[in-house]
């Protein structure tokens, strides 16, 4: 569950897609605190891509592999924007820190390609009949990377410090409503009533009410009590900052060396529960530069690019790369400010959706490297559906009809008016090519239905966020970062983040979706919820980005998990 920043991120840096888990199998928007920058894509699901590639295409000529890449026999290199060095789960300073911790730490519960829970450090779990008590059974002989034992006491410690009043990180364990958790946070209790260590391999946790995400939110990374808790006192967590640079994990790799602005080096962890990784060394290359150049020269073994025909052709010509199509596990959107009078009317929002040629803006202009989105979830989700969903295909006449019905009549200058006010839409977005295309097409589209578009662009994303938070806008461009549980994609519609939107039915269905752990029941609930949101049109959903993964043809066993990224299969990667 989210708390402002992230619990799982994937990031694109210089064209290199870094797919990995941060603190949890759950996930949330990116590092601005509420939103991810529009166009910042994340992880994936195999779907047809541009350029005729619909599945893995293997390297055609490995003899073309650059010499420096041929010489590497025990090291794989992937690109990453420079992390901050805060390499303790739950205390991350950026999503890039999370890419590092995903290699260093493992979670109690992992998730598969559909976002469903599978065993991690916990080999199994039991859920009580009332769905309030979760009992995790740890694997035998678990160890941290220094060889010290990992037990239920470490799990209890991790849950406890996340309830501490001094915890100010971005992981929201309080949303699971652990019994006694709030009392501990408020200093009314010296321990958390709902947490019980049964034996070294067994721990149970009891909730105050059913929560469908509790299994994975509580089943996240485990911190060593002996290492991270040796100086712990209630209300005092600053000491953990001193441990960020020397993490003690339990994941597939150990931190070897962090050289800011250059690289993060890892060495295989011989104490990893699933066995020592097959490749001894792994490096995140943090040097800024052209990702295509790094791939082309063999300085980097893995990268991600927009799946345009041009990119695919360019990558194929190199000959030594495996290419695989993926669709990002997030969605892009344009958010309305429904605190503004004109946009309170659903007919106006629907008209602005019908009146926008999304196919041209998001698909055709990107050479087919995207598909149109219409609901707040990723295509890889088990909750994804198109049944009963209005596709809002470009239809200027339908848009005009709705505006007429809403009382907006065309003025002498062609711009619609009502009660003496013109129908003008103030758009804010980031300064980049995609935004330029949107503005050019949208101005023309909206002028054709009698709407004036005024655009404002920001070179600095923080400046865009400040403008958004001021409320001085009608329409703003964003995208989510990687999504896991379907509750994450709809949370903004119930927590007040979508300005002026308050639909009791949405809140009711959201609560129902969390109040059961039965997947089929949840599917039916989210289907109805998506239909309601789709019809309400608080967003103009824009697109799912298509990506092309390009990696050294010598790498074998590379698989991408939409929720866990490269970290899921990284221990199995080999260089043939």
């Amino acid at each position: 569950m989210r708390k402002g920043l992230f619990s799982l991120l994937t990031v694109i840096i210089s064209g290199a897609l870094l797919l990995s888990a941060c603190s949890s199998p759950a996930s949330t928007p990116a590092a601005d605190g509420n939103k991810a920058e529009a166009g910042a894509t994340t992880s994936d699901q195999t779907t047809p891509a541009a350029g005729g590639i619909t599945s893995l295409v293997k390297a055609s000529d490995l003899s073309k592999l650059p010499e420096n890449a041929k010489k590497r026999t025990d090291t794989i290199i992937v690109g990453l924007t420079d992390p901050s060095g805060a390499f303790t789960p739950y205390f991350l300073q950026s999503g890039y820190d999370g890419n590092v911790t995903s290699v260093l730490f493992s979670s109690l519960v992992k998730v598969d390609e559909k976002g469903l829970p599978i065993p991690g450090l916990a080999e199994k779990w039991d859920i009580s009949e009332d769905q309030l008590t979760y009992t995790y059974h740890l694997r035998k002989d678990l160890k941290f990377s220094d060889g010290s034992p990992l037990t239920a006491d470490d799990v209890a410690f991790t849950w406890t410090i996340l309830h501490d009043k001094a915890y100010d990180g971005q992981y929201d364990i309080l949303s699971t409503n652990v019994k006694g958790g709030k009392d501990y946070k408020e200093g009314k209790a010296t321990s958390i009533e709902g947490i019980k260590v049964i034996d070294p391999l067994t721990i149970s946790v009891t909730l105050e009410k059913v929560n469908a995400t509790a299994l994975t939110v509580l089943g996240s990374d485990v911190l060593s009590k002996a290492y991270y808790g040796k100086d712990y006192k209630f209300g005092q967590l600053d000491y953990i900052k001193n441990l960020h640079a020397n993490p003690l994990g339990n994941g597939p790799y150990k931190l070897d060396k962090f050289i800011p602005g250059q690289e993060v080096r890892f060495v295989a962890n011989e104490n990893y529960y699933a066995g020592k990784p097959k490749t001894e060394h792994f490096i995140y290359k943090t040097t800024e530069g052209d990702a295509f150049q790094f791939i082309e020269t063999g300085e980097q073994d893995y990268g991600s690019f927009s799946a345009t025909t041009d990119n695919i052709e360019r990558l194929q010509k190199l000959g030594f790369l495996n290419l695989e199509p993926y669709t990002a596990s997030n969605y892009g959107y344009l958010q309305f400010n429904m605190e503004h009078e004109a946009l309170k009317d659903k007919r106006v929002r629907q008209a602005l959706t019908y009146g926008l040629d999304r196919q041209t803006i998001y698909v055709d202009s990107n050479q087919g490297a995207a598909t149109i989105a219409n609901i707040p979830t990723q295509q890889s989700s088990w909750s994804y559906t198109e049944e009963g969903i209005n596709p809002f295909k470009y239809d200027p006449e339908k848009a005009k009809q709705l505006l007429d019905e809403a009382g907006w009549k065309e003025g002498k200058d062609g711009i619609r008016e009502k009660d003496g006010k013109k129908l003008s839409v103030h758009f804010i977005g980031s300064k980049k090519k995609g935004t330029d295309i949107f503005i050019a097409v949208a101005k023309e589209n909206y002028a054709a239905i009698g709407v004036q578009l005024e655009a404002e662009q920001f070179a600095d994303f923080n400046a865009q966020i400040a403008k958004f938070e001021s409320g001085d806008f009608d329409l703003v461009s964003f995208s989510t970062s990687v999504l896991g549980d379907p509750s994450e994609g709809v949370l903004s519609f119930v927590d007040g983040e979508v300005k002026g939107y308050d639909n009791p039915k949405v809140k009711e269905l959201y609560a129902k979706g969390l109040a059961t752990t039965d997947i089929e029941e949840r599917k039916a609930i989210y289907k109805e919820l998506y239909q309601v949101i789709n019809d309400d049109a608080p967003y103009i959903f824009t697109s799912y980005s298509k990506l092309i993964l390009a990696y050294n043809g010598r790498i074998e066993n590379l698989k991408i998990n939409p929720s866990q990224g490269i970290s899921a299969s990284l221990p199995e990667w080999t260089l043939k």
Side-chain angles (χ1 to χ4, degrees), residues 45-188:
Q45 167 202 357
T46 301
T47 57
I53 292 182
T54 59
S55 60
L56 173 65
V57 175
K58 293 193 173 182
S60 60
D61 188 355
L62 280 176
S63 69
K64 293 182 178 180
L65 190 69
E67 284 302 314
N68 62 342
K70 287 181 181 178
K71 292 177 182 177
R72 287 197 294 273
T73 59
D74 65 350
T75 303
I76 292 175
I77 302 175
V78 173
L80 179 70
T81 287
D82 209 13
S84 77
F87 300 148
T88 306
Y90 310 111
F91 295 84
L92 313 175
Q93 298 300 310
S94 74
Y96 312 122
D97 294 335
N99 287 87
V100 173
T101 60
S102 73
V103 177
L104 301 173
F105 289 82
S106 295
S107 57
L108 284 173
V109 180
K110 300 190 294 186
V111 289
D112 65 13
E113 291 79 1
K114 289 292 184 181
L116 299 175
I118 56 176
L121 296 173
E123 63 180 359
K124 62 180 181 179
W125 49 83
D126 303 316
I127 304 175
S128 62
E129 191 172 340
D130 62 7
Q131 299 182 26
L132 291 176
T133 300
Y134 291 75
T135 304
Y136 296 85
H137 301 273
L138 304 184
R139 298 175 188 273
K140 294 180 181 178
D141 301 320
L142 290 174
K143 296 178 181 179
F144 288 99
S145 58
D146 66 349
S148 60
L150 188 162
T151 71
D153 283 333
D154 298 297
V155 179
F157 163 72
T158 303
W159 291 343
T160 298
I161 65 167
L162 293 176
H163 282 91
D164 193 285
K165 69 176 183 179
Y167 177 68
D168 60 357
Q170 304 299 326
Y171 201 79
D172 189 10
I173 199 170
L174 290 175
S175 65
T176 61
N177 295 295
V178 174
K179 191 173 183 180
K182 186 177 180 182
D183 285 345
Y184 182 79
K185 187 175 184 67
E186 294 176 352
K188 298 177 181 178

Side-chain angles (χ1 to χ4, degrees), residues 97 126 128 155 253 299 303 328 378 528 557:
D97 294 335
D126 303 316
S128 62
V155 179
Y253 284 88
E299 296 175 68
Q378 70 275 32
E528 183 179 358
N557 305 317

Side-chain angles (χ1 to χ4, degrees), residues 22-42:
C22 291
S23 301
S24 163
S27 60
T28 61
D32 52 274
N34 294 295
K35 309 287 184 182
E37 183 171 0
T41 55
T42 53

